Amino acid sequence: MSQTATPESTTTNVPAAAAAARQASSRAGSAGIPAVRPEPAATSASKPDLGPVTFAKALNTALADALEADPAVVMFGEDIGTLGGVFRITDGLTARFGRSRCFDTPLAESGIVGMAVGMAMNGMRPVIEMQFDAFAYPAFEQIASHVAKMHNRSRGRLKMPMVIRIPYAGGIGGVEHHCDSSESYYAHTPGLKVFVPATVADGYRMLREAIDSDDPVMFMEPKKLYFSKEKVDLEALRAEYEAGTSRTEGRAVVARAGTDATLIAYGPSVPVALAAAEAAAAEGRSIEVVDVRTIVPFDDETVCASVRKTGRAVVVAETPGFASVASEIVARVQERCFHSLAAPVLRVTGFDVPFPAPKLEHYFLPSVDRILDAVDDLQWED
Amino acid sequence: MTQAASSAGPVRPGIPAARPDAAAQAFGITPEDYMLPTRGQIQIIDEQGRVRPVAEQGTAPGHEYPLPEGPELLAAYERLVVGRRVNDQNSALVRQGRMAVYPSSHGQEACQVAAALCLREDDWLFPTYRDSVAVMTKGVDPVEAMTIFRGDWHGGYDPTRHKVGIQCTPLTTQLLHAVGVAHAAKLRGEDTVVLAMCGDGATSEGDFHEALNFAAVFQLPVVFFVQNNGYAISVPLSAQSAAPSLAHKAVGYGMAGERVDGNDLVALLAVLDRGVELARNGSGPLLVEAHTYRIQAHTNADDATRYREDAEVQAWLAKDPVTRMRAYLREGGLLDDAAEERIAAAAEATAATLRAGMNAEATIDPQDLFRYVYTTPTPQLVEQSVRLADELSREEDTK
Ligand SMILES: Cc1ncc(C[n+]2csc(CCOP(=O)(O)OP(=O)(O)O)c2C)c(N)n1
Ligand SMILES: [Mg+2]
């Protein structure tokens, strides 16, 4: 079933996606590319001659660097050895580090996660791959009952330093079971951390951080971004990471500054939110975009500082909205920012339906238009 | 409490150091015959405690088991008597309201004791909710072991200290943890063996299959030890599996299976000692099925009369593992009155420790709720812990 979602067919890049989104929008006038978030030294700004790097390459580099840095790091999953993973995220790692560091397992997701739990109990730092979002469900018992609870159950005597990498969410025209937004299940489970990178540079930083975390991390990789490109200096990212100056855990980031309203998004919805902000700018509205980055732990401060400043907010997420991460963000913002709000906090999410078939997914996914409509609904006085 | 030193000795010569086919070759049998369990159960002493003639021990070529040495058996008997006392003491503590629940292994103590004694101190044990006696036999403090059933935390001992996983409730999930621990050890070139326990009903679970398959594919030193007590709560094994025996399941994974009389401590030690040695020497994982019986209800909350006849219980009482072992040791002159007295005193001392521990009021700190969810509490948990502290201090004020 994975043919429909091979690396080739999923190639998308952020500017192109944003451009497509704008084209689909009947109201966007601007032809500019989304504003680049204020980034530290690692971005293209200071080094214009850097080549473009894909999100996939950044993740692959982070995995290689982690294997290099710590002999306890070990990777396994389905097709991640010889093949390098169906999305090639582990490409070349077995050749470079050997089969004892990066290897294939039998097809059994509970087995992969359960074995990782035992390895983590015995001194290793497993980094495992679930082939697709919906194929992680057989492992849910291990994740919810052991990965999440072992540290608590043992009063901190057993740590679970493991990362569960999950290619996730839609926007790639994938068939059923290949496009689920499953982050809300994990975010609802105490004991798990949930990281969702949205940019190439964050892909590197957040994966290194996840691997070095002594807590288990669900690492959600928006698969529509795998082959998006940014000009980043991987060497500089590595140096920054090793110097400890690029921490992301619990730190949301303002991806685009603005004054009139805040779009709060994470992972696959960040580029869409940026495109919407760009389109709104053409209409004279200044929209701030906050990229949540780590759902758990959640950065209330950055999110609320932005909402208090703008007084209006829309949460954008691909997941079905009911009882989701998006609902949680809305609740938190209203609890904390009520007196700064000029309008109720709104949501633009997927509908409460199973992820649709490829020809229907564009009706489901949050779009620039839908976001702009929600922004329009924020009770403007004019 | 230390385990019997006799099991920690060097690997015996004659045990091949390679995969199952090499083990088969060394035993002079085909790989299929090596993997297939014997036709019946291995039984070395009969229900009256007499050593069975070798021809009637249920063995087959390549599946012969020498009688363990006297001192090993005497040390094991001591643990058996202590285990029985622990079971009965804990059941009493539940009746007195000092413990919330206790899944007793009364009747299964030979399995419990053998599962721990066949291991070296640095080998790992992965027990279920029913395996408290195995946990204590591996060296865990009895009171710490019972914390889980008293209800003050989900686990009461440090798993890394005696290499004992926290008693696991989600059926067979712990078998995969055993596989992971063994895999990590193998990758580092250590010769650790892991023994993982589960019940007969649990063999229907998906993780049972995944664990055995992973262990065999990666050739990991894991001994899977199934206590077949005939029931999963109320459901008899016949409604659980159509396999010729649970040990036969091993063959499908490419590992050796063996069946043993689970109320014969001598046979259990013989089979498990060899299994552990084979695993340690790189012959891959093994599956050992022990036939036994849970004399008491599933837990104190269960009513066993709803699904089984008293006659069945009576028949199994006649095969009691403690009585049998005692008869054997007395008959062979390995157990005299002085030793019996010493052992009875050891059992009483453990029971007294349990009573004292369970009768003492547990100190409970509500802030522990937040302390161990993550290695460092998230800002949200810090907020919640402050809220709870505030709520509790206000309650204090209004008292
Ligand atoms: C995954 C899972 N499903 C159901 C249960 C509830 N449960 C607890 S013990 C048990 C019976 C297990 O029987 P068996 O494996 O034969 O072990 P025994 O209790 O006889 O030692 C059941 C169904 C559970 N603990 N875990
Ligand atoms: Mg049973």
Side-chain angles (χ1 to χ4, degrees), chain A residues 141, chain B residues 129-130 169-171 199-202 205 229 231-233 294 298:
Chain A
E141 182 183 26
Chain B
Y129 49 89
R130 194 169 305 289
T169 307
L171 300 170
D200 51 305
E205 291 281 356
N229 61 12
Y231 291 89
I233 310 184
R294 144 168 82 65
H298 174 70

Side-chain angles (χ1 to χ4, degrees), chain B residues 154-197:
Chain B
H154 298 312
Y157 52 89
D158 179 352
T160 60
R161 177 136 179 258
H162 295 284
K163 312 288 182 201
V164 180
I166 294 176
Q167 286 181 262
C168 187
T169 307
L171 300 170
T172 67
T173 53
Q174 77 282 5
L175 305 185
L176 282 163
H177 308 163
V179 163
V181 164
H183 204 153
K186 183 173 172 170
L187 288 175
R188 287 196 298 261
E190 298 160 1
D191 71 344
T192 314
V193 171
V194 184
L195 187 137
M197 307 175 77

Side-chain angles (χ1 to χ4, degrees), chain A residues 304-321:
Chain A
C304 291
S306 173
V307 177
R308 285 194 194 103
K309 182 181 77 175
T310 63
R312 290 179 168 81
V314 176
V315 179
V316 185
E318 224 179 279
T319 164

Side-chain angles (χ1 to χ4, degrees), chain B residues 142-153:
Chain B
V143 176
E144 284 185 14
M146 285 306 103
T147 301
I148 193 171
F149 297 120
R150 183 168 56 180
D152 34 313
W153 203 258

Side-chain angles (χ1 to χ4, degrees), chain A residues 141-224:
Chain A
E141 182 183 26
Q142 286 288 347
I143 294 172
S145 294
H146 294 302
V147 175
K149 293 178 179 167
M150 197 65 91
H151 186 265
N152 185 65
R153 180 184 296 139
S154 67
R155 299 177 79 88
R157 286 143 175 163
L158 292 177
K159 296 198 180 3
M160 285 287 113
M162 58 189 277
V163 179
I164 304 181
R165 295 182 36 245
I166 307 185
Y168 102 111
I172 60 162
V175 293
E176 201 184 6
H177 314 298
H178 293 72
C179 296
D180 281 16
S181 282
S182 43
E183 72 275 22
S184 300
Y185 303 127
Y186 306 121
H188 187 68
T189 305
L192 302 175
K193 287 183 173 170
V194 184
F195 289 15
V196 195
T199 69
V200 174
D202 275 351
Y204 179 90
R205 297 176 181 126
M206 292 172 70
L207 188 48
R208 290 294 309 269
E209 241 176 284
I211 295 170
D212 284 344
S213 168
D214 277 344
D215 296 308
V217 177
M218 304 303 296
F219 195 82
M220 313 301 290
E221 301 173 1
K223 60 176 96 68
K224 78 169 188 193

Side-chain angles (χ1 to χ4, degrees), chain A residues 1-175:
Chain A
M1 296 276 274
S2 65
Q3 314 73 306
T4 52
T6 59
E8 289 72 34
S9 68
T10 59
T11 302
T12 319
N13 64 49
V14 178
R22 275 194 310 280
Q23 239 166 35
S25 162
S26 54
R27 17 184 311 170
S30 164
I33 56 160
V36 178
R37 68 179 62 203
E39 293 274 352
T43 54
S44 56
S46 56
K47 292 190 179 177
D49 55 331
L50 291 173
V53 174
T54 61
F55 186 60
K57 178 65 187 167
L59 296 175
N60 178 264
T61 307
L63 293 173
D65 288 357
L67 284 164
E68 187 74 52
D70 186 350
V73 173
V74 56
M75 298 176 189
F76 47 95
E78 298 164 2
D79 299 292
I80 76 156
T82 310
L83 182 67
V86 294
F87 290 104
R88 312 288 184 266
I89 308 302
T90 55
D91 192 28
L93 299 181
T94 301
R96 180 168 159 204
F97 294 97
R99 287 199 184 280
S100 60
R101 304 292 305 282
C102 179
F103 56 88
D104 290 323
T105 65
L107 293 175
E109 294 74 16
S110 189
I112 293 167
V113 175
M115 182 164 82
V117 168
M119 285 180 137
M121 286 176 70
N122 196 7
M124 310 297 268
R125 306 185 83 88
V127 180
I128 57 182
E129 178 175 300
M130 299 282 102
Q131 200 159 67
F132 282 89
D133 31 58
F135 305 140
Y137 300 150
F140 196 77
E141 182 183 26
Q142 286 288 347
I143 294 172
S145 294
H146 294 302
V147 175
K149 293 178 179 167
M150 197 65 91
H151 186 265
N152 185 65
R153 180 184 296 139
S154 67
R155 299 177 79 88
R157 286 143 175 163
L158 292 177
K159 296 198 180 3
M160 285 287 113
M162 58 189 277
V163 179
I164 304 181
R165 295 182 36 245
I166 307 185
Y168 102 111
I172 60 162
V175 293

